[in-house]
Amino acid sequence: MAEDADELARQLSNPVSSLISVPLQFNYDDLDSGGSRTWLNVQPVVPVSIGENWNMISRTILPITYQENLFPGAGSQFGTGDITQSLFFSPKQPTANGWIIGVGPALLLPTASDDLLGTGKWGAGPTAVVLKQSQAGWTYGALANHLWSFAGESDRGDVSSTFLQPFLTKGLGQGRTFSLNIESSYNWEAGQWTVPLNIGYSKVSRIGSQMVSYQGGVRYYAESPDGGPDWGLRFAFTLLFPEK
């Protein structure tokens, strides 16, 4: 059981592994504006074999958000945000030097139920991930994408946004993992960085016959827009469906 949990934890640290998973990621941010933002990211990850040597990994992020006092007079909003859909094409085997690579397209879908929960724009751009995993339990690498808007509501601002996520994890044995990442984004239209540092601890376990992962962590914003957050919390519950 411990070996199975460690292997699943190792696969979870790899964004383009062959593991089907459904993370439910709860986030809370306290805003300098006096408000707050609470959201649940539903993030199914589905790998598909497309031949002897390649996988295609579908990663979807659907936020469900409640926020209040985003800025003075904004009131509160609850509903869905915009979906970010990524498709990574990744060789099934690492390179000769042990690097795991995935590249493909990313899409922005205007599924927000309120103007203050999304962009009102369709967007697209490239995405890529590169990482390495060591026998000592370390995983390190980075994930990036850039999205440009190309259609949508004409009275809404254009989207040109870069996302860069360097990450580092350490397997601690018995399915436990310590993680550190920076989910930085740069809004080219506003000339504004948002740079949250996330520290987390997770554990793979079993509920009946279902393998799951629990995670808890804290977030500190090194940079955020005026009125934005200084700190936040993250909890995640992930359903795991390993190959049999």
Side-chain angles (χ1 to χ4, degrees):
M1 170 61 186
E3 291 181 358
D4 291 344
D6 285 343
E7 176 56 28
L8 287 175
R10 178 182 174 86
Q11 291 183 56
L12 268 179
S13 295
N14 174 4
V16 289
S17 75
S18 58
L19 174 68
I20 297 175
S21 64
V22 184
L24 303 172
Q25 184 193 86
F26 172 86
N27 295 272
Y28 171 83
D29 278 348
D30 183 71
L31 305 178
D32 277 351
S33 63
S36 63
R37 185 168 181 256
T38 304
W39 72 102
L40 174 71
N41 283 335
V42 183
Q43 303 181 151
V45 180
V46 181
V48 178
S49 176
I50 55 172
E52 183 178 348
N53 299 317
W54 290 83
N55 285 328
M56 181 188 74
I57 297 89
S58 169
R59 295 178 62 88
T60 307
I61 301 177
L62 168 63
I64 302 171
T65 302
Y66 174 78
Q67 61 189 23
E68 55 184 357
N69 298 325
L70 190 63
F71 53 84
S76 63
Q77 296 80 38
F78 173 74
T80 57
D82 291 344
I83 289 176
T84 302
Q85 174 66 53
S86 301
L87 297 174
F88 294 93
F89 295 88
S90 177
K92 291 183 178 180
Q93 298 299 322
T95 68
N97 293 324
W99 289 97
I100 299 169
I101 299 169
V103 296
L107 301 172
L108 177 67
L109 311 179
T111 52
S113 57
D114 187 284
D115 283 354
L116 291 180
L117 296 175
T119 64
K121 295 289 189 178
W122 294 86
T127 187
V129 63
V130 59
L131 68 133
K132 198 168 188 178
Q133 295 188 297
S134 74
Q135 293 299 319
W138 291 97
T139 298
Y140 52 91
L143 184 152
N145 67 46
H146 185 88
L147 292 167
W148 292 276
S149 58
F150 61 86
E153 299 176 17
S154 59
D155 60 344
R156 303 293 299 275
D158 291 335
V159 172
S160 179
S161 178
T162 298
F163 176 79
L164 179 61
Q165 182 188 32
F167 54 84
L168 174 69
T169 69
K170 176 65 168 75
L172 304 175
Q174 299 182 327
R176 301 170 299 155
T177 303
F178 171 81
S179 62
L180 176 69
N181 69 59
I182 301 175
E183 296 177 344
S184 57
S185 60
Y186 185 72
N187 182 336
W188 292 86
E189 296 292 322
Q192 175 66 59
W193 278 102
T194 301
V195 185
L197 170 66
N198 294 288
I199 299 173
Y201 171 85
S202 62
K203 188 177 190 316
V204 171
S205 187
R206 185 190 295 272
I207 301 177
S209 61
Q210 178 65 57
M211 298 301 294
V212 300
S213 172
Y214 305 92
Q215 183 191 47
V218 296
R219 176 168 50 251
Y220 167 74
Y221 282 83
E223 182 71 26
S224 66
D226 291 343
D230 288 327
W231 64 273
L233 301 171
R234 172 172 291 173
F235 302 96
F237 175 76
T238 303
L239 298 168
L240 306 175
F241 300 95
E243 293 181 323
K244 296 182 179 179

